[in-house]
Amino acid sequence: MFSIFYFFGFFVSALATPIIYDGRAPFNLTNANLDTSTGPFLTIVKGAENATHYSHLLGHSQLPTPLWNEDIAFPREQVISVTIDNSSVFIPGGGPPQFGFRRTDIIAAVNGEHTELITRMETNKTIFHFSIQKDEVRPLNYSHEYQIVFIEPNDGSHVFGVQLGSPFTNPTGPLPAPNAHSFKVLDHALNILFTIPFTSHAWHNFAVEVDWNARTLAVWYSQDAELLRLVKGTTPNPTTAAGPAGQGDFHFTVLKLPIVNPADTPADQGDVVHYGIQEGTVEGLFYSGVFVESAAHGISRGFGAIGRL
């Protein structure tokens, strides 16, 4: 059986700051673990099929970000593929199906438990790391908005978020939007903190620094084997709630919003969760390098380098 204790100790040599959550999948994590939410991933936010219909661990078939894999010929983690199709309609407990969305979410957890993990990840100052690469075989449709990484408190807002595609508008504007093919890192109020094109055949490495007491954000970024660099300094994030009300699950995902359907009623056109146009195509992203660290001793920039905050 997969051991979370082994997993948490797996990358210590490459980092010098305390790791709170490690989502870098070692090779003893299997696709069967995804179906049962055993290990570091909670996989219940998806369509009606098993988790492995939508998400796959890719073994040695694809290389992860090199930042945390010093000898990339012998990587210490495997890439996870996250995809959606027309069956990717989530039905929340006690609620109606989310027919407006197509979504597959991976949620940070420890063998299915995430409540206690939230408290540990979201105290004092912590740093959320993740790396993203295009799935060239299953491309996104950039006429839609995609919410791909975020922390979601119970009110449905996002402490920070990473967006791709054309932001949802009602009425619909020209599509795709001019910056549709760029990442947008957003604060709680949806202000853009950092943007950069989503280029092909590259790992895009991000780290978002969250000060939970001061309610601030900072953003670090690099590509492939480049060390992370600060691209947005400490910035107030005042609209997020203080304390437990401002805490929530850490998601990395493919969450595709609809385009307004002119045939819907005006009220339904504004209900982005339950109505709108979806093509039902198979689309996906690749993730690696997902972990959360304490900022007590700085930020891990890659290859053992530490940045002082």
Side-chain angles (χ1 to χ4, degrees):
M1 180 177 292
F2 172 76
S3 168
I4 199 69
F5 299 102
Y6 168 77
F7 186 86
F8 274 10
F10 200 70
F11 289 92
V12 166
S13 63
L15 304 166
T17 56
I19 301 302
I20 301 167
Y21 164 76
D22 207 330
R24 292 166 296 174
F27 288 96
N28 65 341
L29 188 70
T30 69
N31 283 312
N33 296 132
L34 295 181
D35 281 330
T36 59
S37 293
T38 302
F41 306 134
L42 182 63
T43 57
I44 60 174
V45 179
K46 58 180 181 59
E49 304 293 336
N50 287 340
T52 46
H53 178 83
Y54 309 104
S55 302
H56 303 87
L57 295 164
L58 299 185
H60 291 281
S61 67
Q62 184 159 336
L63 293 175
T65 178
L67 274 188
W68 321 112
N69 298 272
E70 290 89 343
D71 186 349
I72 196 61
F74 301 95
R76 296 182 293 177
E77 66 168 314
Q78 54 184 317
V79 174
I80 183 167
S81 165
V82 181
T83 68
I84 56 170
D85 61 22
N86 206 38
S87 72
S88 301
V89 177
F90 176 57
I91 304 176
Q98 295 181 344
F99 286 119
F101 292 161
R102 297 296 181 269
R103 70 185 301 180
T104 301
D105 294 31
I106 307 294
I107 298 172
V110 179
N111 294 325
E113 195 290 317
H114 51 123
T115 302
E116 187 271 337
L117 179 62
I118 288 172
T119 301
R120 290 194 290 114
M121 290 192 301
E122 300 173 13
T123 300
N124 298 322
K125 185 187 289 186
T126 52
I127 302 164
F128 293 77
H129 289 262
F130 45 92
S131 297
I132 307 166
Q133 189 178 76
K134 281 187 180 181
D135 184 336
E136 303 289 349
V137 176
R138 291 167 282 269
L140 306 184
N141 179 343
Y142 292 91
S143 291
H144 288 255
E145 176 182 339
Y146 295 83
Q147 299 174 2
I148 60 170
V149 181
F150 50 86
I151 297 173
E152 186 173 52
N154 288 334
D155 64 3
S157 66
H158 295 165
V159 175
F160 72 84
V162 181
Q163 180 192 87
L164 283 167
S166 303
F168 175 86
T169 59
N170 182 19
T172 302
L175 297 174
N179 62 351
H181 291 264
S182 292
F183 292 104
K184 282 83 72 178
V185 181
L186 310 176
D187 68 7
H188 182 266
L190 306 183
N191 299 304
I192 296 176
L193 302 179
F194 173 67
T195 184
I196 196 163
F198 188 15
T199 52
S200 299
H201 308 296
W203 279 107
H204 296 264
N205 309 307
F206 294 87
V208 179
E209 175 190 330
V210 184
D211 188 322
W212 297 93
N213 298 324
R215 286 185 289 170
T216 62
L217 301 171
V219 183
W220 299 66
Y221 171 81
S222 73
Q223 284 190 30
D224 292 324
E226 299 171 350
L227 296 183
L228 289 167
R229 65 186 186 277
L230 183 66
V231 294
K232 180 66 175 181
T234 301
T235 304
N237 195 30
T239 60
T240 190
Q247 298 175 337
D249 283 317
F250 175 35
H251 297 239
F252 59 101
T253 172
V254 178
L255 195 171
K256 180 183 180 184
L257 277 64
I259 296 171
V260 169
N261 187 344
D264 288 337
T265 66
D268 291 344
Q269 287 177 1
D271 186 352
V272 66
V273 178
H274 302 106
Y275 294 90
I277 296 171
Q278 290 278 3
E279 297 79 15
T281 46
V282 181
E283 306 171 30
L285 292 169
F286 297 129
Y287 287 93
S288 68
V290 178
F291 65 98
V292 181
E293 64 179 339
S294 166
H297 303 297
I299 178 172
S300 298
R301 299 180 59 210
F303 301 103
I306 301 300
R308 298 304 169 189
L309 302 177

